[in-house]
Amino acid sequence: MAMTTKKKQLLSLALGCVFLFYIINLNKISHVGDQQAYIEGSIPSQLLRANPRREAVPYTVPDQLPDIDPTEWIFLIIHYHKTGHDLSRSLRDFITNSTELKHNGEENAFARRHHDQYTKCPKDVDMRRSMIYVQVSPNFFCDIRTLAKELLSHKKKTKIKIIHLVRNPFSMAISNFNYHSAYPVIEPWVMTAQPCAEEKFFGVQSYPELVLPTFLEQKDVMGGVGLDNPLMYPDDFKALSERCHALYQNSFNRAGSEKWNYYNHLRHLDPTQGLELATIQMCSSGINGGDLLRMANNIIKLKEIEQQLAQEDCTGTGVPCGERIHTLTLSLDWFIQDPYGMTIRFLDFALGNAITKGEKIRIAQRYRQSYYRKVSGGDSHITKGKNVETPKGHVVDPVLLENMLRGHELLGRVLGNVERVVDDALGYPVDNGGSGEQDVVPMEGGGDNIEGVSR
């Protein structure tokens, strides 16, 4: 006998309930020791795939945190495209909601991907004590003493804490491709972007001439991360440009593509070619892209300040710049892996004993809850672990895309060098992803360390 429409509806409802029950119970796996801390919407640890090299470096809890008066400091959170836009806002709000600090209400502290034509430092920097600022993609192309003065806003009594949000360049590149090739379009600029155009600041300064001095001349810094050769050579930019033109609007590569826009290419090229084009844009388009190399440049500049100006009074106040400029580098990959532990780490650095341990735990719990809810809700900004789906319904595993990038003759070398710079800033040993037995931030409730800082 044919099944009635009502019976079909009841059967569909029953199957839906069974599936929902399965998902709810799956979320409880492996968290028996941490039931109170793990909240509704958490992700089962056995479903998280992590590259061992991106596991968080263990965080040793200081015996005594410093007594910090937040009103005496400037706080600056720096991020790049696909290293934590939403995260930067969350971190900012953690501080403003738990202290007397305020933020300036602006998207950025100063113009992104822009600088003074002559100093090559960010322009019109005016940051003040007891304020917290967020900044995306700053141009730190100046000498480090000028940069230190700009970061301190040329004020004699200012001190600044910089939270530098970075990311493994391979996961950053894949996330960028996944995000901008999604349907429907998430950010409209991909419809008009010209990824192979030669962009010049002020009509005269090319991106290569701005970043290459850092990569070519700072051999002491580069050598410290295991690089015997520069991160990039001048000819590498020429090779990137040639490859970009071979992929973009080239009917010899793909018939009919001469009329496509950038988004069409990301959607309709073979995924490995789409990723290649998107990654080139993320390396060499200085005004509308270039954040992979900008991130490496800025890591090196901030490290130079830490190393070379630690004991130098760079502003004529009698206080060494090393005591006035403090930088903590954190990876978005770590926040994806352990949102609770990384929030604790951030709060310890930023606020010390200015707020209680209990308040830090509550903030970290709330952030983990909100993050996992975004993941389970399919937030478009979260691409970690998502497969790339082509217009024809083909699914590409991001691991295969990473293998393609690592094996690429040019991009593999360049991103591999950027990876070493990032790893050094994060505290990884040069030759491996980091390990070691240390006292680490425990999960509240004594849970396993799948989600803990120790990893």
Side-chain angles (χ1 to χ4, degrees):
M1 179 182 293
M3 185 178 294
T4 66
T5 300
K6 186 172 183 178
K7 287 183 177 179
K8 288 181 180 179
Q9 291 174 339
L10 290 173
L11 179 60
S12 298
L13 180 61
L15 290 173
C17 290
V18 170
F19 179 73
L20 180 61
F21 177 79
Y22 170 76
I23 293 296
I24 291 173
N25 281 276
L26 188 61
N27 278 337
K28 297 178 181 178
I29 297 175
S30 301
H31 302 316
V32 175
D34 197 19
Q35 291 178 355
Q36 183 176 359
Y38 273 84
I39 34 66
E40 184 180 358
S42 64
I43 298 176
S45 58
Q46 72 273 25
L47 297 184
L48 293 174
R49 294 184 306 168
N51 183 327
R53 191 165 183 76
R54 292 171 204 150
E55 291 181 357
V57 171
Y59 170 51
T60 303
V61 182
D63 293 333
Q64 181 65 42
L65 289 170
D67 292 323
I68 294 174
D69 181 356
T71 62
E72 295 181 354
W73 291 82
I74 298 167
F75 293 83
L76 177 63
I77 302 173
I78 296 172
H79 69 99
Y80 305 88
H81 191 56
K82 305 310 296 177
T83 74
H85 174 278
D86 288 2
L87 172 62
S88 66
R89 274 65 184 167
S90 295
L91 298 182
R92 177 195 66 192
D93 292 346
F94 294 159
I95 290 183
T96 58
N97 291 337
S98 56
T99 68
E100 297 178 1
L101 270 66
K102 301 182 182 301
H103 66 82
N104 63 343
E106 301 292 335
E107 184 75 7
N108 290 293
F110 39 86
R112 66 176 183 174
R113 301 192 184 108
H114 191 63
H115 56 271
D116 182 273
Q117 182 175 355
Y118 303 103
T119 68
K120 301 178 184 177
C121 261
K123 190 175 181 178
D124 300 325
V125 179
D126 182 20
M127 297 185 292
R128 304 179 182 186
R129 289 186 297 174
S130 75
M131 298 284 289
I132 181 165
Y133 302 86
V134 172
Q135 178 62 45
V136 63
S137 307
N139 283 0
F140 292 165
F141 301 136
C142 47
D143 69 88
I144 58 173
R145 286 167 181 81
T146 303
L147 177 58
K149 293 176 183 178
E150 290 293 341
L151 291 172
L152 294 169
S153 296
H154 298 272
K155 296 181 175 71
K156 291 186 176 182
K157 295 183 179 181
T158 53
K159 299 183 290 184
I160 185 169
K161 283 182 177 283
I162 301 170
I163 297 87
H164 199 192
L165 299 178
V166 301
R167 190 173 190 178
N168 179 279
F170 291 99
S171 66
M172 184 174 170
I174 293 168
S175 176
N176 173 66
F177 171 58
N178 199 349
Y179 183 69
H180 290 304
S181 64
Y183 179 82
V185 174
I186 300 174
E187 294 185 356
W189 69 267
V190 296
M191 306 296 289
T192 57
Q194 297 294 324
C196 306
E198 183 180 3
E199 300 176 337
K200 290 197 173 183
F201 295 87
F202 313 105
V204 293
Q205 293 177 343
S206 71
Y207 193 49
E209 71 182 70
L210 290 167
V211 297
L212 279 171
T214 302
F215 299 156
L216 292 173
E217 297 172 9
Q218 313 304 331
K219 292 183 179 179
D220 291 340
V221 176
M222 302 306 293
V225 298
L227 293 179
D228 297 325
N229 299 304
L231 189 149
M232 284 189 75
Y233 294 95
D235 286 347
D236 289 338
F237 281 97
K238 180 181 178 180
L240 286 175
S241 177
E242 290 175 351
R243 182 56 183 158
C244 189
H245 284 288
L247 290 168
Y248 188 68
Q249 294 184 339
N250 187 338
S251 59
F252 291 101
N253 177 59
R254 180 70 179 268
S257 66
E258 65 273 12
K259 296 182 180 180
W260 288 356
N261 59 29
Y262 180 48
Y263 177 69
N264 294 147
H265 283 74
L266 299 185
R267 289 288 294 168
H268 297 289
L269 284 178
D270 177 276
T272 57
Q273 292 181 324
L275 172 62
E276 186 180 6
L277 179 63
T279 305
I280 290 172
Q281 192 272 345
M282 232 188 163
C283 284
S284 56
S285 296
I287 296 176
N288 294 302
D291 276 10
L292 279 165
L293 299 186
R294 181 176 282 104
M295 176 178 71
N297 175 90
N298 294 351
I299 288 173
I300 293 169
K301 291 292 186 180
L302 291 173
K303 181 176 180 178
E304 285 186 302
I305 288 177
E306 179 183 350
Q307 291 180 337
Q308 298 181 29
L309 302 185
Q311 303 302 321
E312 181 177 323
D313 177 12
C314 58
T315 57
T317 62
V319 181
C321 277
E323 295 181 18
R324 300 175 62 196
I325 302 175
H326 297 184
T327 300
L328 174 67
T329 305
L330 294 174
S331 172
L332 176 65
D333 295 312
W334 293 356
F335 276 92
I336 291 170
Q337 175 192 129
D338 179 21
Y340 170 85
M342 288 304 104
T343 302
I344 294 290
R345 188 171 186 169
F346 159 75
L347 292 170
D348 280 352
F349 167 79
L351 300 178
N353 281 328
I355 63 174
T356 67
K357 179 180 178 181
E359 188 168 1
K360 291 176 185 176
I361 289 174
R362 287 190 293 274
I363 291 171
Q365 288 175 327
R366 287 197 298 270
Y367 176 67
R368 182 173 59 185
Q369 178 182 16
S370 67
Y371 174 73
Y372 284 160
R373 282 180 174 168
K374 284 184 178 181
V375 173
S376 61
D379 189 291
S380 62
H381 283 86
I382 299 173
T383 60
K384 173 68 176 178
K386 291 181 180 177
N387 291 325
V388 176
E389 185 171 349
T390 68
K392 295 182 179 179
H394 299 149
V395 175
V396 184
D397 190 317
V399 174
L400 297 179
L401 294 178
E402 179 169 334
N403 289 339
M404 184 283 291
L405 276 180
R406 288 188 180 275
H408 194 283
E409 183 177 1
L410 177 56
L411 291 174
R413 170 169 56 83
V414 172
L415 266 62
N417 288 341
V418 173
E419 183 177 48
R420 283 177 174 264
V421 172
V422 171
D423 285 354
D424 176 70
L426 293 173
Y428 289 125
V430 171
D431 58 345
N432 59 58
S435 61
E437 297 297 328
Q438 303 184 51
D439 293 332
V440 299
V441 174
M443 294 302 296
E444 72 280 28
D448 62 37
N449 62 5
I450 290 296
E451 293 294 335
V453 182
S454 61
R455 289 295 291 181

